[in-house]
């Protein structure tokens, strides 16, 4: 039959189309990276340059790049171990700020009076730079790990809290009316209306929060020492290992990017395709 | 005899910098099983009146009695079909209705019965083919139908509909009007419907309540529509009683109570 002979012609262009789509997404970043490396190489190759060009970085920090898992005891470990230690601190601090931020955000968002009273306080506190909290938390906890975790918490809790309370306040009157007509009790309202309605806002807050946590941990670790990517960078600076710093920076950026994507992905997964 | 639903001397003033009197001295008695339409120019306070009957807002003076009991809070015995359907976007069509069914019949029906009842009500509005769709995946008319199914599924004493067919194309509108008429005929519920459409009001109602323009709107006239049921839109097109009723509503709206020209 004639329409069967048409079929391959209809199916055939799909494979190249897919390849093309992939190429369109992958090629531009690759080209950009290549250009950046080229310019960097050209600039830092000049005699008298204070920073190493990429070729030198690869050469001097080769072991660091290819073997993130080595462990010679003490602080002489591969980047994986430093990053893992930093991520562990971020995990504790961030989990705490997610729990506290969402819970307080819901409470505050429900009440206009609480919002009026607390919002100015939050707006001021959230602009305090992460590191400014460190001396205070060292004074309070007298130990480096809890202090670092507290700094993560206090840095990332504000966007979670503020976004959650905005999300709760933004629940359309329509949904509240549906809940009223159905006579949902507070628990049912919380589970069936409030959380799903505020979810996009909550995840926006969580996403900003995870970025801030990662910003804060690197800075905090520079000061508190021990195993961790922040101290690794500080240590490399003290030993004038500039190319190690550059490698570590790239890893820090990649991990931060992955954290952001992870939260965004979790948000989409939980919203299960509902329009946000 | 005492009326089934009694709206007596209801007035509504919204407090603000300048207090705005929206409704003043609205009184209306509705018999059980009656289909009453409220018609009036935009902004005159129709939705406000419906929300007072629903219990979503409290009137500043006067009150509403349903079966002799004062209405002071919302409840599923006065189900509302909202002006903008108000489906929950994170729930499927089925779950939107099921939420209402579970809440109203959670104790009285078994799980299987609630499932069957949910499907039954969606079938009533011909939406049983899209149970697993989410609201953003279906058309405006379909959303309205799910909203109607959700309200019907609560088996309300009074069904309150706020422009249920607004913003629909003429064909969908006609189909939905026919199914609402059929459902009303079969179940005999008491219905209050807000509409802007004169033909719709005459076709569906036993009485048409015409509201004067705001501020301080009140009931201008109540027109009984004495047409036999079941009604057929094609047959009515040649019925003089239908045209008389239609003319009366038009005369009220466009001669005696024109839309205010100030805005
Ligand atoms: N919460 C409120 N606060 C102050 N004024 C309000 C409030 N709700 C409604 N109004 C005012 O009451 C009047 C009537 O509003 P309502 O929504 O009842 O009108 P409507 O007859 O339903 O109009 P439409 O046909 O356009 O839906 C409007 O002038 C509106 O501005
Ligand atoms: Mg209205």
């Amino acid at each position: 039959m004639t329409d069967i002979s048409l079929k391959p012609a209809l199916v055939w262009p799909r494979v190249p189309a897919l390849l093309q789509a992939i190429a369109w997404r992958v090629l531009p970043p690759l080209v950009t990276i290549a250009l950046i490396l080229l310019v960097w190489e050209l600039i830092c190759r000049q005699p008298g340059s204070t920073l190493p060009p990429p070729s030198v970085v690869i050469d001097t920090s080769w072991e660091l790049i290819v073997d993130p898992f080595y462990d010679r005891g003490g602080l002489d470990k591969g980047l994986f171990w430093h990053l893992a230690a930093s991520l562990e601190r971020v995990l504790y601090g961030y989990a705490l700020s997610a729990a506290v931020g969402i819970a307080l955000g819901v409470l505050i968002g429900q009440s206009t009076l609480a919002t009026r009273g607390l919002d100015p306080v939050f707006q001021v506190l959230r602009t305090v730079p992460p590191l400014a909290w460190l001396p205070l938390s060292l004074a309070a906890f007298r130990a480096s790990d809890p202090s670092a975790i507290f700094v993560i918490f206090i840095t990332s809790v504000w966007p979670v809290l503020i976004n959650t309370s905005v999300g709760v306040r933004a629940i359309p009157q329509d949904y509240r009316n549906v809940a009223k007509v159905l006579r949902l009790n507070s628990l049912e309202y919380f589970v069936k209306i409030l959380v799903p309605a505020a979810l996009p806002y909550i995840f926006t807050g969580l996403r900003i929060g995870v970025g801030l946590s990662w910003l804060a941990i690197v800075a905090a670790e520079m000061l508190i020492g021990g195993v961790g990517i922040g101290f690794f960078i500080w240590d490399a600076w003290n030993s004038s290992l500039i190319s190690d710093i550059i490698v570590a920076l790239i890893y820090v950026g990649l991990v931060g990017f992955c954290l952001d994507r992870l939260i965004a992905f979790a948000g989409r997964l939980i919203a299960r395709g509902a329009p946000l | 005899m005492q009326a089934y639903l009694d709206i007596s001397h209801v007035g509504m003033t919204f407090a603000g910098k300048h207090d705005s009197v929206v409704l003043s001295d609205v009184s209306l008695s509705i018999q059980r099983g009656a289909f009453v339409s409220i018609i009036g120019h935009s902004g005159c306070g129709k939705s406000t009146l419906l929300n007072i009957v629903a219990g979503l807002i409290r009137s500043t003076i006067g009150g509403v009695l349903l079966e002799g009991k004062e209405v002071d809070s919302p409840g599923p015995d006065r189900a509302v079909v909202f002006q903008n359907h108000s489906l929950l976007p994170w729930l499927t069509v089925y779950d939107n209705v099921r939420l209402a069914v579970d809440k109203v019949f959670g104790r009285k029906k078994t799980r299987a019965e609630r499932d069957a009842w949910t499907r039954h009500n969606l079938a009533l509005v011909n939406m049983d083919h899209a149970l697993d769709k989410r609201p953003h995946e279906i058309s405006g008319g379909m959303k309205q139908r799910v909203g109607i199914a959700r309200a019907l599924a609560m088996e309300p004493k009074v069904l309150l509909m706020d422009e249920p067919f607004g913003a629909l194309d003429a064909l969908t509108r006609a189909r939905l009007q026919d199914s609402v008429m059929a459902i009303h005929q079969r179940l005999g519920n008491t219905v209050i419907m807000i509409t802007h459409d004169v033909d719709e009001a005459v076709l569906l109602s036993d009485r048409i309540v015409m509201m004067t323009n705001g501020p301080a709107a009140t009931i201008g006239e109540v027109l009984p529509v004495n047409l036999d049921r079941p009604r057929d839109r094609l047959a009515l097109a040649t019925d003089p009683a239908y045209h008389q009723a239609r003319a009366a509503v038009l005369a009220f709206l466009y001669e005696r109570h024109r839309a205010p020209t100030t805005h």
Side-chain angles (χ1 to χ4, degrees), chain A residues 178-264:
Chain A
V178 170
K180 281 190 199 161
V181 169
L182 291 178
R183 293 225 176 105
L184 298 184
N185 60 37
S186 347
L187 181 66
E188 288 166 330
Y189 178 74
F190 182 79
V191 175
K192 305 228 158 104
I193 309 280
L194 186 144
V195 169
L199 210 58
Y201 289 86
I202 294 176
F203 267 94
T204 307
L206 286 175
R207 226 174 134 177
I208 300 172
V210 84
L212 289 180
S213 305
W214 195 235
L215 288 183
I217 190 67
V218 174
E221 282 175 348
M222 286 191 175
L223 296 180
I224 61 166
V227 178
I229 193 68
F231 187 70
F232 175 89
I233 293 173
W234 191 242
D235 199 36
W237 159 246
N238 284 329
S239 329
S240 304
L241 298 169
I242 305 297
S243 61
D244 280 10
I245 296 179
I246 292 172
V247 174
L249 284 191
I250 292 169
Y251 272 94
V252 168
L254 289 176
V255 170
F257 175 79
C258 291
L259 285 178
D260 181 68
R261 285 302 149 103
L262 194 72
I263 302 297

Side-chain angles (χ1 to χ4, degrees), chain B residues 6 10 14 18 23 40 45 74 76 78 92 114 171 173 178-180 186 201 203-204 207 227 232 240-241 244-245 249:
Chain B
D6 202 10
V10 162
F14 286 107
H18 306 283
L23 294 173
R78 280 153 289 123
T92 61
R114 279 177 274 149
L171 277 175
R173 205 181 169 105
D178 288 342
S179 42
V180 164
R186 187 144 31 120
L203 178 67
L204 295 178
R207 282 195 296 162
L227 296 169
D232 173 72
Q244 244 165 28
V249 179

Side-chain angles (χ1 to χ4, degrees), chain B residues 226-240:
Chain B
N226 298 313
L227 296 169
D228 293 335
R229 289 182 188 271
R231 296 174 185 172
D232 173 72
R233 65 178 68 243
L234 290 176
L236 285 179
T238 52
D239 189 330

Side-chain angles (χ1 to χ4, degrees), chain A residues 124-145:
Chain A
V124 170
L125 285 180
R126 87 187 163 88
T127 61
V128 174
L131 276 193
W133 291 102
L134 191 60
L136 202 61
S137 67
L138 278 171
F141 294 105
R142 296 179 185 282
S144 58
D145 255 0

